[in-house]
C-alpha cells in the first residue's frame, strides 16, 4: 500500500498528542489512524456491537446509533486516555455540540471551531470540491460518480470564501463541509501533502509550513457490501482501505480509494485503469466506476 511521502518537518509525537480518539468507523477513520500512528501517537477508534475496530485499540460504544451519541463518544475518549479527538467524517464530524463538548472536557478538537459547524450535507454524485487550508484554496476536484480528478488550485476569483474558511475543509459550491471528504486523498497525491498531519499539528498549536507540488492526480472510490474473502492491491498506486480479509465491508460501504499522480490527467487515468485491472476483491459485491468513458 503506497503512502503519502513525508513532506513536513518531523515532530516527536502525533502533532504533540499522545493519544488521539478517531470517531469514525469507516475508511476515513482508518486513513486518520494511519497518520496518527506515523506521527508516533496512539490511535484509538470506536466500534459498535458485532464490529471489530482498528487502530491500536478500539472502544465498544454499544448498539446502532451509539456512534452519534456525544456522551458515549466522550466517555470512550476518557476511557482511552485521549488528549485529542478527530471526528474523521463520522456522524459527529459536523456537530457543533460535540465539538464544544470535546473542548469543555479539556480535550483538543481536531477540526474547525464549533461555531463554524452545522448539519452534514448530502453531497451530490456529481460536484466540484475545493480543498482549503486555512484561508487558501489549494486544490479543486471534479467528482463524478466516484471518479475524482484534481485540477489544481482554482484562480483567486473562483475562491470567494477566503477568510471565511477555517482549518482543513472542503467547499462544495457555496457549502462548507467541515470534515475531510474522500476526495482529499486525490488532493494529497496531487500536492504531495498529508492533510491529516496538517490537521493534527495545527490543532496542537503548531505553525506548520508546507509546500505544494503541482501534479495531476486522479482517484476512484470502490464501494460494495459483503464479507471480504481475499484482497490484493496493485503496486505503484496509493490504496486507502479499512477492509481486511475475513471481515465485513465497513459501515460506510467504501471498500477502498485508489489514487495516483502523474504528469498529466490522461496518464493518471491510464494508471488507474491499469490498477483496477490488477485489483482483486473477492466475496464482495463490488461497484466499480466506469473509467473508460473518460477516453472520450
Amino acid at each position: 500500500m503506497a503512502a503519502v511521502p513525508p513532506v513536513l518537518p518531523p515532530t516527536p509525537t502525533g502533532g504533540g498528542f499522545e493519544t488521539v480518539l478517531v470517531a469514525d468507523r469507516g475508511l476515513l477513520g482508518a486513513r486518520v489512524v494511519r497518520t496518527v500512528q506515523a506521527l508516533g501517537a496512539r490511535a484509538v477508534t470506536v466500534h459498535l456491537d458485532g464490529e471489530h475496530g482498528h487502530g491500536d485499540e478500539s472502544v465498544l460504544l454499544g448498539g446502532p446509533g451509539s456512534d452519534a451519541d456525544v456522551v458515549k463518544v466522550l466517555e470512550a475518549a476518557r476511557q482511552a486516555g485521549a488528549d485529542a479527538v478527530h471526528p474523521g467524517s463520522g456522524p459527529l464530524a459536523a456537530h457543533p455540540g460535540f465539538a464544544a463538548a470535546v473542548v469543555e472536557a479539556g480535550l483538543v478538537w481536531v477540526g474547525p471551531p464549533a461555531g463554524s459547524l452545522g448539519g452534514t450535507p448530502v453531497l451530490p454524485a456529481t460536484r466540484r470540491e475545493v480543498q482549503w487550508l486555512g484561508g487558501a484554496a489549494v486544490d479543486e476536484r471534479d467528482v463524478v460518480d466516484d471518479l475524482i480528478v484534481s485540477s489544481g488550485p482554482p484562480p483567486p476569483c473562483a475562491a470567494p470564501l477566503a477568510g471565511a474558511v477555517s482549518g482543513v475543509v472542503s467547499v462544495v459550491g457555496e457549502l462548507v463541509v467541515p470534515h475531510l471528504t474522500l476526495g482529499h486523498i486525490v488532493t494529497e497525491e496531487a500536492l504531495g501533502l498529508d492533510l491529516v498531519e496538517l490537521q493534527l499539528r495545527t490543532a496542537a498549536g503548531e505553525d506548520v509550513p508546507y509546500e505544494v507540488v503541482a501534479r495531476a492526480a486522479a482517484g476512484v472510490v470502490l464501494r460494495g457490501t459483503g464479507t471480504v474473502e481475499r484482497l490484493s492491491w496493485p503496486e505503484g498506486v496509493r490504496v486507502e482501505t479499512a477492509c481486511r480479509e475475513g471481515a465485513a465491508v465497513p459501515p460506510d460501504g467504501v471498500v477502498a480509494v485508489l489514487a495516483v499522480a502523474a504528469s498529466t490527467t490522461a496518464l493518471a487515468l491510464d494508471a488507474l485503469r491499469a490498477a483496477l485491472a490488477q485489483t482483486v476483491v473477492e466475496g464482495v459485491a463490488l461497484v466499480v466506476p466506469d473509467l473508460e468513458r473518460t477516453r472520450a
Side-chain angles (χ1 to χ4, degrees), residues 52-235:
H52 297 282
H54 44 269
D56 299 296
E57 178 186 338
S58 189
V59 179
L60 174 63
L61 295 178
S66 298
D67 56 340
D69 188 315
V70 171
V71 174
K72 287 187 176 181
V73 177
L74 275 178
E75 173 57 24
R78 185 204 63 76
Q79 180 180 332
D83 44 7
V85 174
H86 192 302
S89 63
L92 296 176
H95 192 309
F98 180 52
V102 167
V103 174
E104 289 171 5
L107 307 177
V108 175
W109 168 256
V110 184
S116 66
L117 301 181
T120 302
V122 176
L123 302 181
T126 300
R127 61 186 184 273
R128 179 156 292 187
E129 300 181 353
V130 179
Q131 186 69 57
W132 288 74
L133 299 182
V138 296
D139 188 38
E140 194 168 22
R141 304 184 292 260
D142 287 311
V143 182
V144 181
D145 295 332
D146 284 335
L147 171 65
I148 306 164
V149 178
S150 166
S151 55
C157 60
L161 298 178
V165 179
S166 176
V168 181
V169 301
S170 298
V171 174
V172 182
E174 295 297 317
L175 191 65
V176 177
V177 181
H179 55 74
L180 295 172
T181 69
L182 294 173
H184 93 275
I185 296 168
V186 175
T187 289
E188 288 185 327
E189 290 300 292
L191 304 183
L193 291 175
D194 185 326
L195 296 178
V196 176
E197 182 177 351
L198 282 169
Q199 284 185 310
L200 290 163
R201 295 178 63 179
T202 300
E206 294 185 47
D207 183 9
V208 186
Y210 64 88
E211 296 180 0
V212 298
V213 179
R215 297 178 292 186
V220 62
V221 181
L222 305 181
R223 302 181 188 271
T225 58
T227 298
V228 179
E229 296 176 0
R230 179 172 172 245
L231 288 173
S232 180
W233 305 115
E235 296 292 331

Side-chain angles (χ1 to χ4, degrees), residues 220 222 230-235 237 239 255-256 258 272-282 286 288:
V220 62
L222 305 181
R230 179 172 172 245
L231 288 173
S232 180
W233 305 115
E235 296 292 331
V237 175
V239 179
V255 174
L258 277 60
L272 271 183
R273 294 185 186 97
L276 286 174
Q278 301 172 46
T279 296
V280 177
V281 182
E282 296 181 357
L286 197 63
V288 181

